[in-house]
């Protein structure tokens, strides 16, 4: 799944100067998924483009936190109020 998604997102990045990636429906992510998020960020930076990762699901936030990658990705990790109650 990760390779297919990576290619799809790299194609989307090549066709746009600004890309927003909404992850709110991601129910599971592994290290391959994290690797393509990092690759996508680095490719955008290399090409002078902007990619924002938004609406991180709880699963994505957990893995990013566990791997201590929030600073590497550079996007705010917002916890919805419904999850804090």
């Amino acid at each position: 799944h990760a390779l297919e998604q990576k290619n799809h997102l790299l194609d989307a990045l090549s066709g746009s100067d600004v890309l927003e990636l909404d992850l709110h429906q991601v129910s599971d992510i592994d290290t391959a998924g994290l690797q393509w998020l990092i690759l996508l960020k680095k490719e955008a930076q290399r090409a002078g483009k902007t990619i924002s990762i938004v609406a991180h699901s709880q699963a994505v936030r957990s893995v990013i936190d566990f791997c201590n990658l929030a600073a590497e990705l550079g996007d705010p990790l917002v916890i919805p109020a419904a999850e804090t109650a």
Side-chain angles (χ1 to χ4, degrees):
H1 232 36
L3 180 60
E4 178 185 312
Q5 293 299 321
K6 179 188 88 167
N7 291 334
H8 176 72
L9 289 169
L10 287 173
D11 288 344
L13 183 63
S14 70
S16 177
D17 289 335
V18 178
L19 188 64
E20 184 174 272
L21 182 59
D22 183 330
L23 301 181
H24 83 277
Q25 291 186 347
V26 175
S27 60
D28 190 30
I29 187 167
D30 60 10
T31 55
L34 286 177
Q35 287 175 332
W36 65 251
L37 289 177
I38 293 167
L39 172 71
L40 196 59
K41 284 286 202 167
K42 290 185 183 215
E43 285 298 312
Q45 184 179 26
R46 183 189 60 74
K49 299 181 177 196
T50 302
I51 182 164
S52 299
I53 301 172
V54 300
H56 304 75
S57 69
Q58 190 278 328
V60 173
R61 288 192 316 271
S62 292
V63 172
I64 288 172
D65 185 48
F66 180 78
C67 295
N68 197 25
L69 289 174
E72 176 78 22
L73 293 170
D75 298 292
L77 295 174
V78 178
I79 300 172
E83 289 183 26
T84 62

